[in-house]
Every structure is written in structure tokens, then in C-alpha cells.
Amino acid sequence: MTFRARHLLGIEHLSPQDIVTVLDLADRYVDLNRRTMKQSDALRGMTQINMFFEASTRTLASFELAGKRLGADVMNMGVSQSSVKKGETLLDTAMTLNAMHPDLLVVRHPSSGAVNLLAEKVNCAVLNAGDGRHEHPTQALLDALTIRRAKGRIQRLTVAICGDIAHSRVARSNLILLGKMENRIRLIAPPTLMPNGVNEFGCEVFDDMAKGLEGCDVVMMLRLQKERMDGAFIPSEREYYHRYGLDAEKLAHAKPDAIVMHPGPMNRGVEIDGTLADDINRSVIQEQVEMGVAVRMACMDLLARNLKAERGAKASEVIV
Amino acid sequence: MIHFTNARLIDPETLTDSPGSLTVENGLIHAINAPAPAGAQIFDCQSLPLAPGIVDLGVQIGEPGERHKESFRSAGLAAAAGGITTIIARPDTNPAIDSPELLEFVTRRAREASPVRMHHMAALTKGRQGQQMVEIGFLLDAGAIAFTDGDHVTQNTKTLSRCMTYARSLNALIIAHPQDPGLSAGASATTSKFASLRGIPAVSPMAERMAFDRDMALVEMTGVKYHADQITCARTLPALQRAKANGLDVTAGTSIHHLTLNELDVGDYRTFFKLTPPLRSEDDRLAMVQAVADGLIDTISSYHTPADEESKRLPFEEAASGAVGLQTLLPAAMRLYHAGHLDLPTLFRALSLNPAKRLNLPQGRLAVGAPADLILFDPDAPFLLDRFKLHSKSKNTPFDGQRMEGKVLGTWVAGTRVYAES
């Protein structure tokens, strides 16, 4: 057991051994989740607050379910509708919640670095559920688990990440994780959706999808936000689908056993062909969702263990 | 009458750094290297540098409108403690200083409250909106020292060219912020691998070059006196060199922060390092230092921009931009001196002489007849910067907790001591 982090703010702060620890534990939670009785008591008595400053259905549901299966008291706060509208700052909201003594704070925020800022001010474990275009660590971990279960390893693979890389926190966390685990990474996107300084990332960069997919083991598609399809970044939806949408024909350039991934929600017919997305022989998109719950359980379990260890003797002295 | 003896005289005009003495009488420098006159108060400088006080071009003060951030009093005290004897205040207040009445108000307030000299710039357009020209003539009569809309870049080139043409007829100086507003919209960092991995929206250094090129075309067209407030990118330097070589009446400044910090200092989203323009790459920083050494960049300023805690305790993209700098300008500049990049006369050419020359002020010189605005400092004195000890009401300094060298021991304005290190 090497996982010593206080918070999970990004993959950047994890060592390869930390990543393996999370994945190993998550594997066990996958088994638990497939049983009829899905309860564990890893977080029994603890309070988990999901603070989402940005709309989310899937990630929020996944974190909520993960917390509940571990026995935590889970509260969801859609902050965008409440006090922030009344002019309260992020830190005031956080301090208010902190005063209620949560043990785990799961935060999503539209600004890069907002979760780091918050973590400095509260005395519970903070999990980043996505901050701006910075990181989305649990997504990268669940992708890694999905790959490891499909391919039997998470090293020495050729992984293509395709789509709106410039604006994607999923892409950032994934390329950091896959890099740490010594994989070969290819970034495929039109140049307007490629981040600046991409040539220094240590990845191979392609704007031709067929060439980029050549010999890949894993194809990760990214969601293209509707507001970016209006001619500002790409000329049109149909041209994008034609050049960068994944279909059987383009996928034929990858290895015959290459798997197809997507963090969801999908735009069928924009970045991915609908039939391909549903092809159980190629697409692992549903597995990703399943792995999401298990990985989040593993992350929260590990952070809770560290939190308990940190609080040490005090926790056992609690008078009920 | 004061006789400074045993001093290391830093003369930015002759670029000399030599032992000597200096006599002050009636607020002016009366003699240099002359024997002490009878009855003069003798001040032993203990071989430390005595230099012309800094003329800090582009200081933001919160009066009117945001006095909780900085007042004329607090800015004046910070300046005196930082070796700045003349503050050139920015008009980007709330409301903007765009009428002679407002200018008279701030001039009076500053005179009452500040221990150092203050001059005021006026907005170039009403409310800094880039639409209507201000009363340049009346404002000049009321004492406006230059005209600038600060970081509001006038997008309409017709409006700007008319402002320039009108200013030219009155021989007024225009100070511009070269930054293409389209390219830089929403950006709070410079494009790089670092900004991309941090997920911070960023702007290409080319945005500065583009805006500077546009301005140079307009300067060529109108013949106006032009100063670029902050040049921060290596790519702008050839354009600046060309403009000067072509005989345009153009000068340029840079900020002490862009000379001493780079984009990586932002680290884990530290908002005290969020500046306008954003911090640049290390290559850019070194190019700026070289340009100051070569005299291509004329002035160094603090670009003192006070921000309250609330506006900085926000996610990076939402946080206010800017840093206070009055009290850290000199110690930060000493980093360049200790690193062997710039000697003291060259530094004071950019800190004191050049801004004074550009603004037609008699300050900035160690010459007989010049105002006795002087600072005595110890370039080697080390200290740990504690932001809460700064005189500024706002404490947003990027140098918080850092080891620095260079302490001001005394500041004199018109021969009167306004600061003594305790």
C-alpha cells in the first residue's frame, strides 16, 4: 500500500505505483458491484458532499452511487443554482460546507485550478471531479482500468486520443496517466482543437486520422462541445464527422483488436458512428461507465483510509 | 544645505558609478565633488550608492473609487520606502480620469497626501471606452503629463488616429498598451506547454507584436509622440528597433515583473503571478533584460496594480490581474544587478533618467541644477519579504516570502528626507 495522497486533485501528483494501487483495489470493487449485495462499510459514518459547480449527470451519479455503496452519507449540491448566484465566492461556499465537517468533498468547477484552490482551505479530502480544462483524474483512472481489463496490461500500448484535445480535461489527465505508465500516445485532432505547445508533450501529433490510427491498440474519442461546432473552431459538424468522426472504415487502420472508448456523453454522428459505439466487439463504452463507479469507490476508500490514519487516535476516542 | 560625502554616485547620464560627494541646496543639486561648504549638514553615505530617485511610470492608485485598495497616502509612503521619488499615476480609476475637473481633484488630493512627487496621466478617450476623445488641451493645461487608456486598447483605428493627430498638434505624449484585443480575449497566460497542461486560456506573444505593428503604422501616419507601456515579448523587439531606426518618436517600457519572473512562477495557480500582460517564457524574459541593457527598451516601471484579497482569492481565470510593486521595484531590480545582467547606472537610466526625459521632467539626473530627488540604498542588504509589512493597502506581491537583496536607506525629495530606514 503506497497511496499516501491527502487529496486527489490530478494524475500529475500520482506515482505509477499509486495508479496501480487504485486499479488493483478498483478491480475488487468491480466484483463487489456485480453482486446483489453491493454494500461495503469503508466509508461508514463518513460524510461525502458532491459539490458540482457545473452541470453533470453521469459523473455525479457515479460518485453518488460509489459513496452510497461504501456506506457514506452522501449529499449532492448543485451549486450553480444556489449561493454562487447570490454572489458568494467559491471559498465562502467551501468554508460553509467545511464547517459541516464533511470527510470527502467531490468538486467539479468550470475554472482550471479551482479545486486546487479549494483544497488549500478545507480540512477534508478533496476529489477533483473535473476542473475547467485542467484535469479529470477519476476519468483517466477508469479509462486505465477499462484498458487494463480489456488488454491485460496498461503498459507498452499505442493509444490514440482523438478530438477536442485543446479544451479537454479528460485528454490532459489521460495523457499524463498513459505517459506515466509508459505507453505510446498519439494525439489526433484538427490543428484548431490541438493545445498550444503540443509538440513538447512527448506525444505523436497527427491531423490525419487514418495515419494516426495506424497500429493503435486503443482509440479514445473525445466529446466535441456543441458550442465549438459553429465555425469558430471547425467549419461544420458534417465536415468534422467526415474527417474526424470514428467509423468502421477509419477504425480499420487501427489494430484488428483495437478497442474504442468514449468518456460520454456521445454525439452520435459527430465524433463517433452510432453503430460502432454499440458494437460490443469493439466498443467498451459501457464498461467505462461500470469501471467509473468502481474506480471512484477505490479512490474514496484510499483517501478515507489516509484521512483516518491522519486523524489517528482521535477517531477511536469518539464518544457516541 | 546637505553635503553627501563618501558616496558611490550613480550617474545614469554618463553611465558612471564612481566615489564622490554631492551638495544639495534649496532643493536642487548644488555641486558635485566639491568640498563641503561651511555650515552644511554632513551626511556620510558609507560608500553606498546614491542615485537619482526612481520615476515610476504607470502606477495605479485607487483614488477616486477604490481607496480601500490604495490611497495617495499609502502609495506615497510605499514609494518613499521603495526609493521612488516621482509617481506617474494611471488614469484607470473609477471613474477614469478623463476630465480637467477630475484631474484637478486628484492633483490636489495627491499634493495633500503624498510625501513623494506625483504627476497624473489622463485617459485618452472618455471613460477609456475608445469612442470619444477627451479634452486633451484642457487636460494639458490642468497638468496631464500623458494620455493613456491603460489596458483598454482602442480598437477603432479611425478614433485612435484622430486622437493621435489631435495630440500631435499639442505635442502630447500618448501611452499605449500593445495587445491585440481579439487574440488576447479571455487569456490569462502565455501560450505554452505549461499553460496548456494547467488548462489556462492563453494568448500568443504575437498579440503584442500585432498591436505594436498597428500602432507603429498609425504613429508613422500621425507623427505623434508614442510610448509603449510594457513590451514583454522577444518578437516585438525587432519591430521596436525598426520604428526607432525609422525616426519615429517612439519609446518603450517594460515591467520589473516581466524582467524578473516567468510563466512557470504561476506554479499551482498562484494568482499573485497573474499579470497584464501575462508572464512570458524565460527566453522572452532574457530578451527583455538584454533590450534594457542595450537601451532598446527605455524604461522600467513597477506597473503597480493594487488588488484586494477577495479579487485574488478566486480561481486563476476569474482572479484580478496585476501586482503591487512600489516597494519591491528596487530590490527586484537588484536581482538583475546581482545576476550580472545590468550595472547600476544602466538600471537607473531605465528607472529614473529615461522616464523623466520622456515626460520632460527635470528629475532622474545627478547633475548640478537638477532637483535633489535622491535615494541612498544598500544593494547587498538581504531580507525576507513579508507582504503584510508593505505600506501599500493591497498586499498582492508576487515576491511574498522570497529572499531579496537591496534596501533603501534614505529617500530625499527636493532635498527633504521623506524616508529613513528604521
Side-chain angles (χ1 to χ4, degrees):
Chain A
M1 199 61 164
T2 60
F3 194 91
R4 287 189 209 283
R6 168 95 202 257
H7 306 295
L8 181 64
L9 301 178
I11 300 295
E12 194 191 343
H13 308 288
L14 299 182
S15 67
Q17 186 54 48
D18 287 338
I19 294 167
V20 171
T21 304
V22 174
L23 300 187
D24 289 349
L25 183 59
D27 263 331
R28 286 163 48 194
Y29 280 121
V30 174
D31 297 339
L32 178 76
N33 287 339
R34 287 180 180 172
R35 289 190 219 146
T36 314
M37 294 301 292
K38 300 178 177 65
Q39 278 289 334
S40 143
D41 60 359
L43 297 186
R44 192 162 54 91
M46 297 184 115
T47 304
Q48 172 194 343
I49 300 183
N50 298 328
M51 201 155 99
F52 278 55
F53 292 87
E54 207 180 61
S56 160
T57 317
R58 308 156 60 97
T59 309
L60 179 61
S62 183
F63 269 109
E64 183 178 357
L65 205 52
K68 285 181 170 162
R69 286 188 181 162
L70 293 175
D73 293 317
V74 185
M75 185 178 92
N76 292 330
M77 281 190 61
V79 192
S80 52
Q81 305 92 25
S82 65
S83 34
V84 171
K85 289 238 167 95
K86 296 176 193 158
E88 191 175 64
T89 66
L90 168 67
L91 287 184
D92 285 332
T93 309
M95 294 314 286
T96 305
L97 285 181
N98 194 46
M100 299 176 192
H101 297 291
D103 303 288
L104 293 153
L105 206 52
V106 179
V107 187
R108 169 170 286 191
H109 196 281
S111 292
S112 304
V115 185
N116 300 50
L117 176 69
L118 206 143
E120 287 170 19
K121 308 288 175 187
V122 296
N123 45 25
C124 57
V126 175
L127 277 99
N128 183 359
D131 62 325
R133 33 172 117 161
H134 176 219
E135 280 229 46
H136 191 356
T138 54
Q139 178 71 42
L141 287 164
L142 77 87
D143 287 343
L145 183 63
T146 310
I147 294 171
R148 196 172 79 167
R149 290 172 72 100
K151 292 282 159 197
R153 64 178 200 271
I154 184 69
Q155 284 90 15
R156 300 183 313 281
L157 295 166
T158 303
V159 183
I161 304 177
C162 321
D164 186 0
I165 296 162
H167 302 98
S168 173
R169 53 194 173 213
V170 175
R172 277 173 189 67
S173 286
N174 262 316
L175 72 89
I176 297 170
L177 188 148
L178 293 168
K180 280 184 197 254
M181 302 312 287
E182 297 177 1
N183 294 283
R184 190 167 168 179
I185 305 163
R186 296 185 178 171
L187 301 179
I188 307 172
T192 47
L193 295 177
M194 214 46 117
N196 291 296
V198 70
N199 293 324
E200 298 163 46
F201 281 18
C203 306
E204 293 168 89
V205 179
F206 294 87
D207 56 17
D208 180 326
M209 199 158 179
K211 280 187 194 150
L213 290 181
E214 205 73 58
C216 280
D217 298 291
V218 178
V219 184
M220 279 187 182
M221 300 307 297
L222 297 171
R223 176 180 165 75
L224 184 67
Q225 304 284 340
K226 284 266 184 232
E227 62 266 25
R228 310 222 160 88
M229 299 176 198
D230 62 357
F233 288 90
I234 52 161
S236 70
E237 210 175 299
R238 59 181 190 178
E239 180 161 327
Y240 185 79
Y241 181 63
H242 177 69
R243 299 194 61 208
Y244 297 98
L246 187 68
D247 53 20
E249 193 188 326
K250 293 197 189 85
L251 186 62
H253 292 89
K255 280 191 188 161
D257 62 346
I259 54 168
V260 175
M261 305 177 75
H262 193 295
M266 281 181 283
N267 294 304
R268 287 169 189 262
V270 179
E271 68 254 354
I272 191 161
D273 171 59
T275 323
L276 182 59
D278 297 333
D279 179 353
I280 53 163
N281 295 317
R282 306 305 296 269
S283 161
V284 293
I285 297 171
Q286 292 309 312
E287 279 84 342
Q288 283 176 276
V289 179
E290 185 190 354
M291 295 310 125
V293 180
V295 154
R296 286 169 182 130
M297 287 168 83
C299 292
M300 290 198 288
D301 182 357
L302 290 166
L303 289 176
R305 290 184 207 185
N306 290 350
L307 199 66
K308 284 177 196 160
E310 186 187 308
R311 292 175 182 169
K314 278 185 188 166
S316 60
E317 286 164 18
V318 170
I319 301 159
V320 183
Chain B
M1 199 187 290
I2 315 171
H3 184 72
F4 291 92
T5 177
N6 194 17
R8 188 176 151 191
L9 298 178
I10 309 298
D11 184 348
E13 264 183 315
T14 57
L15 289 177
T16 52
D17 176 348
S18 52
S21 67
L22 185 145
T23 316
V24 169
E25 194 181 359
N26 294 330
L28 300 177
I29 299 175
H30 180 71
I32 291 170
N33 291 332
Q41 176 200 341
I42 307 286
F43 192 100
D44 183 358
C45 297
Q46 299 178 327
S47 303
L48 291 173
L50 185 69
I54 298 168
V55 179
D56 194 1
L57 173 52
V59 174
Q60 190 187 43
I61 296 168
E63 289 193 54
E66 295 178 306
R67 213 157 85 180
H68 70 287
K69 290 187 184 173
E70 196 79 287
S71 67
F72 286 118
R73 180 82 192 147
S74 61
L77 289 173
I84 293 160
T85 50
T86 305
I87 284 179
I88 311 296
R90 297 198 324 237
D92 51 350
T93 47
N94 184 16
I97 298 163
D98 58 2
S99 71
E101 291 76 13
L102 260 171
L103 185 67
E104 277 162 20
F105 165 75
V106 292
T107 307
R108 194 181 69 242
R109 278 282 305 136
R111 200 181 302 125
E112 288 164 2
S114 167
V116 303
R117 295 179 203 267
M118 277 204 200
H119 294 278
H120 301 271
M121 297 190 274
L124 182 63
T125 61
K126 293 261 169 67
R128 305 195 296 131
Q129 300 288 315
Q131 306 290 333
Q132 289 169 275
M133 203 185 297
V134 295
E135 293 170 313
I136 297 180
F138 280 153
L139 282 159
L140 280 172
D141 292 345
I145 198 157
F147 294 84
T148 180
D149 278 348
D151 58 2
H152 287 194
V153 179
T154 310
Q155 300 202 44
N156 187 327
T157 43
K158 192 154 246 171
T159 307
L160 184 57
S161 73
R162 283 184 187 140
C163 290
M164 285 178 163
T165 305
Y166 195 87
R168 164 78 183 88
S169 72
L170 295 166
N171 201 26
L173 174 69
I174 285 184
I175 299 184
H177 178 73
Q179 191 67 221
D180 184 77
L183 267 187
S184 60
S188 38
T190 306
T191 48
S192 67
K193 179 188 175 191
F194 172 77
S196 286
L197 285 178
R198 282 285 179 278
I200 307 173
V203 57
S204 162
M206 223 31 130
E208 182 179 295
R209 230 286 289 292
M210 281 172 64
F212 187 78
D213 279 341
R214 179 199 76 164
D215 286 2
M216 286 311 98
L218 290 170
V219 169
E220 195 176 323
M221 187 170 114
T222 60
V224 74
K225 280 204 305 197
Y226 175 101
H227 178 80
D229 66 349
Q230 301 178 69
I231 296 296
T232 57
C233 299
R235 282 184 161 156
T236 316
L237 295 175
L240 175 60
Q241 198 155 30
R242 252 191 328 270
K244 287 186 168 187
N246 289 344
L248 302 183
D249 193 351
V250 168
T251 50
T254 193
S255 94
I256 191 64
H257 299 120
H258 290 89
L259 289 173
T260 51
L261 305 169
N262 70 30
E263 56 176 356
L264 302 179
D265 285 304
V266 168
D268 251 351
Y269 305 99
R270 294 192 290 172
T271 56
F272 282 8
F273 292 84
K274 182 176 175 184
L275 305 174
T276 307
L279 286 170
R280 308 300 193 183
S281 70
E282 178 65 2
D283 287 348
D284 281 330
R285 183 187 79 82
L286 291 171
M288 292 309 111
V289 174
Q290 189 57 46
V292 172
D294 297 342
L296 178 57
I297 286 191
D298 303 273
T299 66
I300 302 175
S301 310
S302 68
Y303 273 88
H304 181 81
T305 306
D308 50 27
E309 298 287 304
E310 284 67 38
S311 61
K312 283 287 188 185
R313 281 178 49 182
L314 290 171
F316 197 81
E317 286 166 56
E318 296 160 34
S321 151
V324 292
L326 289 169
Q327 247 176 297
T328 48
L329 173 54
L330 185 81
M334 287 307 110
R335 289 187 171 180
L336 302 170
Y337 166 67
H338 289 299
H341 290 313
L342 297 169
D343 57 22
L344 291 179
T346 309
L347 265 172
F348 279 87
R349 179 177 69 183
L351 289 166
S352 306
L353 176 67
N354 283 346
K357 265 166 75 176
R358 190 53 169 160
L359 299 164
N360 291 320
L361 296 172
Q363 279 82 15
R365 300 156 171 94
L366 277 197
V368 173
D373 290 7
L374 301 166
I375 60 168
L376 179 73
F377 63 98
D378 181 350
D380 303 311
F383 65 98
L384 200 64
L385 188 93
D386 175 357
R387 67 190 184 108
F388 294 107
K389 291 195 176 142
L390 295 176
H391 290 285
S392 284
K393 286 190 177 181
S394 295
K395 312 294 182 189
N396 53 310
T397 171
F399 298 112
D400 183 38
Q402 294 199 25
R403 288 170 199 282
M404 306 193 88
E405 285 174 279
K407 265 188 183 171
V408 176
L409 304 176
T411 305
W412 288 263
V413 174
T416 303
R417 193 162 191 179
V418 294
Y419 174 76
E421 207 244 350
S422 48

